[in-house]
Amino acid sequence: TTRSAQDGDDASPHRSQSGSRSRKPVRRRAADSGSEDDDESEEEEVKVKKGSATKKTSPDEKKKPGKAAQQDSSSGSSWSFTLVALLLLALLAWFFLSGSGGAGKKDAKTLNADPRAVLSLREKRKEQLGSLMRTNFAEQEVAVAKKIVTDVLLRNERQLESGTAERSTVFHFGGGSAGDSCKRMEKVVEEFMFPRAEPKSTLRVAVHKGELDGIRNKIYDQLIQTPRSLIILERADEAQERSLYLIEDAFENAVFDHGGKGVDCTQAVFIIETSLGEGMAETVCGGGACDLSHKEALVRQLKQASQAIWSRQAFVARIREVVPFA
């Protein structure tokens, strides 16, 4: 028992020494770990400082503008965008107001135009036609002819504006006094159709002479080149019937083929000039001045005279605008 105690006593100092020895390295490790942590934190601080230093002196950062410069550039770009937008709006306004978008057909412009402007334009054109009539005719002279031609020409313009024209406009100028007054009316039609055009797109054809095919080709070539044309068939009552029947397509069809080319007749105006209906004023108007109350009777008499010389009734029916000069 004493020996074990001694052994225990002998072992205890050894145990204490070993314990103390074992604790010291732990303290050193703790101290070492503490110093290592301090070193790491110092290294991190140095790295952060170096990083901040590099950020300050980075060439990429030097190139970036400051806030004031960014604001200036953004405000400058917004101003430039605004100026570009204003310029575009100004160009669009000028484009539509000047009518440049209607370089094609006239009806394309008027369909999209202000209705009040269209009415104003129509009133202006009506006044222009009235002025031409007053310039070329006395007040009571050929009243029926002036009324029919005025109504037809204004209606034709409205149809062209709206795109509803289905065929050419065909007049028959006839009557005992058709000579001088007929020529003056042709001048009115020409001036109204081409108020500013020089030369006028007018073709005069003496259908009472010349080869039949040559007359037809001449008329159709004119329409191919200039669809908006005035075609005057002079002394048509002296021509062979077949010479008129050959151009019947131009009276009835809107578009047809001729020699591989399309002929557009919707804008054309034909005047068939004859001396038919001589003596209408005496027969219908009792030898006095004819006025608008005689319109239906005069038109009917001229149609009957046409049917007497042109046996093809379908051709006569295609001449829709009968204008008696009496």
Side-chain angles (χ1 to χ4, degrees), residues 6-7 27 35 75 81 104 122 130 143 161 167 217 234 237 270 293 314 322:
Q6 286 177 358
D7 292 337
R27 288 194 198 101
S35 63
S75 62
F81 177 78
R122 288 177 180 174
E161 289 171 359
R167 59 181 64 89
N217 293 336
E234 298 176 327
D237 53 325
F270 285 85
S293 64
V322 177

Side-chain angles (χ1 to χ4, degrees), residues 125 128-129 132 136 153 184-198 200 202 230:
R125 292 289 284 158
Q128 290 173 351
L129 183 54
L132 289 170
N136 290 275
L153 288 179
R184 283 183 284 152
M185 188 62 78
E186 290 169 1
K187 180 182 177 182
V188 168
V189 175
E190 184 181 53
E191 291 293 334
F192 181 74
M193 288 179 62
F194 315 111
R196 292 177 295 275
E198 287 294 344
K200 312 292 186 186
T202 302
L230 173 61

Side-chain angles (χ1 to χ4, degrees), residues 205-216 219 233-248 251 272-274 306 309-312 315 319:
V205 182
V207 291
H208 64 290
K209 57 184 178 181
E211 295 182 1
L212 303 182
D213 289 336
I215 292 172
R216 180 182 60 179
I219 293 172
L233 308 178
E234 298 176 327
R235 299 170 65 178
D237 53 325
E238 300 176 22
Q240 298 181 37
E241 289 185 47
R242 186 165 173 263
S243 65
L244 297 176
Y245 300 159
L246 284 175
I247 60 174
E248 214 173 344
F251 297 167
I272 301 175
E273 178 190 301
T274 74
S306 301
I309 68 162
W310 293 322
S311 59
R312 189 167 179 171
F315 173 78
I319 305 172

Side-chain angles (χ1 to χ4, degrees), residues 220-240:
Y220 289 172
D221 289 344
Q222 170 75 16
L223 294 176
I224 291 171
Q225 183 177 359
T226 312
R228 183 60 169 168
S229 292
L230 173 61
I231 313 293
I232 300 175
L233 308 178
E234 298 176 327
R235 299 170 65 178
D237 53 325
E238 300 176 22
Q240 298 181 37

Side-chain angles (χ1 to χ4, degrees), residues 110-124 161:
T110 53
L111 281 174
N112 298 322
D114 184 355
R116 291 173 295 182
V118 173
L119 290 174
S120 176
L121 178 61
R122 288 177 180 174
E123 289 298 323
K124 183 178 179 181
E161 289 171 359

